[in-house]
């Protein structure tokens, strides 16, 4: 790996040593007179000296940052988690405020605020979920059980029930108010990579690396449907989104396909075929029958779900790792492996803004409750805030 500023390039000259006596003449050079360095393609220095469009950079993390969540009620409150085994709660516009979410023994992989914003769940690859009181910053309880790392955490839309998927092929549900286990959902044959409650709270959908989706009864733990085989995915699921009326699930896979499943029947009702590499993210537009999918094929595709056809294909410089719609507006944001955050107009398919500042792949995006700020986190150890008031 090239380390900027290091001298690890191999050459055929062997090691060279200079003594004081070898110096013939010292020349003072004004740095302004030096030509700009032209980076070789593929060099790790390609981000150096780039403009930084962010309003603020949160630098509390000492490792890669994997996940970000903005409070649904407090437009300034943000939570981030990463590879330094830590989470933080911090506030936009309050550079002096940061509460560490300590106690995890492995990377913090997932964060989610409860629907009322009172609680925050932090899930880690240590297999543990911690529940935090957002007003005091205190640890409320610790939820244990899974035998593998936590892949994702979700809250029930109307209560303090927590759902999480694990690398050990199971999903778990707890009551966060009482800190007690309620149900385990067993049946997948590999890591449970995505999942959620339906928006009406009556069902649970989970997707797995075993290329199946399962639909569950939350109360009984009963597995109602298993979606697998032709015409469904041939490789592991990576992402899942559920329509607001709780009737359809959209799932994306490493195989580059997106399928639409009727939750009541467990049948594939349509397929969105246009990507040529792994799907990394799916987002449903809150105010129109459109979906957005991002993939490692460098594409964001905006779909009209009524016709199951692409409206726009939005090309990126590298893989699209995450996306989020900006409130109920026509705009959405993508995070890319090239370290850029882009704002897209879903009507025209045009990129209307590119935000720079990160120096490594974007991992997660979240929009503040007032839709005025977009927070991104990246492998460069930072979280950055970008102003997006004009796009909502």
């Amino acid at each position: 790996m090239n380390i900027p500023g290091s001298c690890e390039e191999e050459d055929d000259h062997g090691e060279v040593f200079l003594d004081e006596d070898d110096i013939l003449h010292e020349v003072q050079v004004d740095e302004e007179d030096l030509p700009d360095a032209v980076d070789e393609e593929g060099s790790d220095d390609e981000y150096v000296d780039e403009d930084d469009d962010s309003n603020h950079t949160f630098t509390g993390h000492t490792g890669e940052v994997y996940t970000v969540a903005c409070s649904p009620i407090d437009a300034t409150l943000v939570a981030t988690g990463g590879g330094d085994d830590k989470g933080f709660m911090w506030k936009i516009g309050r550079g002096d405020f940061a509460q560490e979410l300590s106690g995890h023994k492995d990377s913090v992989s997932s964060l989610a605020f409860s629907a009322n914003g009172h609680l925050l769940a932090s899930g880690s690859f240590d297999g543990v979920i911690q529940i935090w009181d957002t007003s005091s910053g205190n640890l409320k309880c610790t939820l244990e059980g899974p035998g593998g790392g936590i892949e994702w955490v979700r809250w029930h839309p109307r209560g303090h029930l927590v759902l999480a998927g694990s690398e050990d092929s199971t999903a778990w549900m707890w009551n966060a108010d009482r800190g007690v286990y309620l149900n385990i959902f067993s049946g997948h044959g590999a890591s449970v990579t995505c999942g959620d409650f339906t928006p009406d709270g009556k069902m649970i959908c989970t997707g797995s690396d075993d290329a199946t989706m399962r639909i569950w009864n939350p109360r009984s733990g009963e597995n109602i449907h298993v979606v697998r085989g032709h015409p469904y995915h041939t490789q592991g699921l990576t992402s899942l989104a559920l329509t607001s009326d709780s009737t359809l699930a959209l799932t994306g896979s490493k195989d580059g396909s997106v399928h639409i499943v009727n939750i009541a029947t467990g049948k594939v009702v349509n397929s969105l075929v246009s990507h040529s590499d792994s799907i990394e993210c799916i987002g449903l537009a809150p105010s129109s029958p459109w979906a957005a999918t991002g993939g490692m094929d460098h594409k964001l595709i905006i779909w009209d779900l009524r016709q199951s056809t692409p409206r726009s294909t939005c090309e990126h410089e590298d893989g699209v790792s995450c996306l989020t719609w900006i409130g109920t507006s026509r705009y959405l944001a993508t995070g890319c492996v090239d370290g850029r955050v882009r704002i897209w107009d879903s009507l025209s398919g045009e990129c209307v803004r590119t935000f720079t500042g990160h120096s490594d792949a974007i991992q997660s995006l979240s929009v503040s409750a007032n839709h005025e700020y977009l927070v991104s986190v990246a492998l460069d150890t930072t979280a950055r805030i970008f102003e997006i008031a004009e796009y909502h």
Side-chain angles (χ1 to χ4, degrees):
M1 178 178 176
N2 280 348
I3 300 169
S6 74
C7 301
E8 294 189 343
E9 291 88 351
E10 292 181 20
D11 59 37
D12 298 327
H13 306 304
E15 294 182 338
V16 179
F17 297 95
L18 281 179
D19 293 319
E20 288 282 327
D21 301 340
D22 296 329
I23 297 171
L24 301 176
H25 179 55
E26 286 193 33
V27 180
Q28 296 298 323
V29 178
D30 185 341
E31 288 198 1
E32 289 184 6
D33 295 337
L34 290 173
D36 292 330
V38 179
D39 293 331
E40 291 179 31
E41 197 173 341
S43 121
D44 284 349
D45 295 338
E46 61 188 286
Y47 305 100
V48 173
D49 291 333
E50 245 199 14
D51 291 338
D52 185 352
D53 298 319
S54 61
N55 288 34
H56 175 71
T57 304
F58 177 74
T59 56
H61 289 281
T62 56
E64 298 174 339
V65 193
Y66 301 137
T67 179
V68 58
C70 289
S71 163
I73 57 164
D74 180 346
T76 66
L77 186 61
V78 181
T80 52
D84 54 6
D85 307 350
K86 291 176 184 172
F88 286 95
M89 274 194 287
W90 48 276
K91 294 200 170 183
I92 297 171
R94 286 272 312 274
D96 59 336
F97 176 89
Q99 290 183 311
E100 186 177 324
L101 311 175
S102 58
H104 284 298
K105 295 178 175 59
D106 206 338
S107 299
V108 176
S109 55
S110 183
L111 291 163
F113 285 94
S114 60
N116 62 11
H118 295 171
L119 299 177
L120 171 72
S122 61
S124 166
F125 288 142
D126 63 9
V128 170
I129 292 166
Q130 293 181 322
I131 305 297
W132 306 86
D133 183 308
T134 56
S135 57
S136 68
N138 293 334
L139 179 65
K140 180 178 170 69
C141 62
T142 299
L143 309 176
E144 297 177 317
I150 302 299
E151 292 270 10
W152 50 269
V153 180
R154 297 288 184 273
W155 290 88
H156 190 278
R158 281 181 302 284
H160 284 171
L161 302 182
V162 176
L163 180 68
S166 170
E167 292 175 323
D168 72 354
S169 311
T170 62
W172 292 65
M173 187 173 71
W174 299 264
N175 180 316
D177 285 327
R178 305 205 313 270
V180 297
Y181 150 84
L182 296 176
N183 242 324
I184 182 172
F185 305 93
S186 299
H188 282 298
S191 181
V192 183
T193 51
C194 50
D196 207 345
F197 292 100
T198 52
D200 62 12
K202 294 178 180 175
M203 295 280 193
I204 287 170
C205 298
T206 57
S208 167
D209 229 0
D210 66 4
T212 73
M213 182 176 79
R214 288 175 180 258
I215 300 164
W216 312 83
N217 180 321
R219 288 181 182 273
S220 66
E222 176 195 359
N223 188 184
I224 300 163
H225 297 296
V226 185
V227 188
R228 64 180 160 207
H230 186 76
Y232 202 52
H233 301 295
T234 58
Q235 295 180 46
L237 276 67
T238 57
S239 43
L240 173 148
L242 306 174
T243 55
S244 58
D245 61 4
S246 301
T247 60
L248 300 175
L250 278 73
T251 56
S253 162
K254 292 175 183 175
D255 65 11
S257 66
V258 178
H259 295 293
I260 305 174
V261 176
N262 180 308
I263 294 171
T265 65
K267 300 288 186 222
V268 177
V269 293
N270 234 319
S271 300
L272 309 179
V273 182
S274 201
H275 285 283
S276 58
D277 203 343
S278 177
I279 306 296
E280 295 299 307
C281 44
I282 300 177
L284 295 170
S287 55
S288 60
W290 297 353
T293 55
M296 292 312 289
D297 58 0
H298 305 189
K299 290 187 175 76
L300 163 74
I301 301 179
I302 298 163
W303 304 84
D304 185 332
L305 294 178
R306 289 166 303 194
Q307 274 89 36
S308 295
T309 53
R311 279 186 55 87
S312 304
T313 298
C314 310
E315 297 286 348
H316 291 65
E317 299 290 317
D318 210 328
V320 180
S321 49
C322 47
L323 66 85
T324 182
W325 289 85
I326 299 172
T328 54
S329 77
R330 62 201 266 187
Y331 298 102
L332 70 162
T334 55
C336 184
V337 175
D338 69 2
R340 311 264 201 314
V341 174
R342 294 173 174 85
I343 307 294
W344 301 85
D345 182 339
S346 65
L347 294 181
S348 68
E350 297 294 317
C351 179
V352 294
R353 186 72 200 267
T354 299
F355 289 118
T356 60
H358 283 291
S359 62
D360 209 337
I362 312 292
Q363 298 296 292
S364 182
L365 296 170
S366 189
V367 176
S368 64
N370 60 5
H371 305 140
E372 292 188 4
Y373 297 100
L374 177 68
V375 187
S376 56
V377 298
L379 298 182
D380 64 7
T381 77
T382 70
R384 289 174 189 268
I385 301 165
F386 300 101
E387 204 168 316
I388 55 165
E390 62 189 291
Y391 303 113
H392 81 90

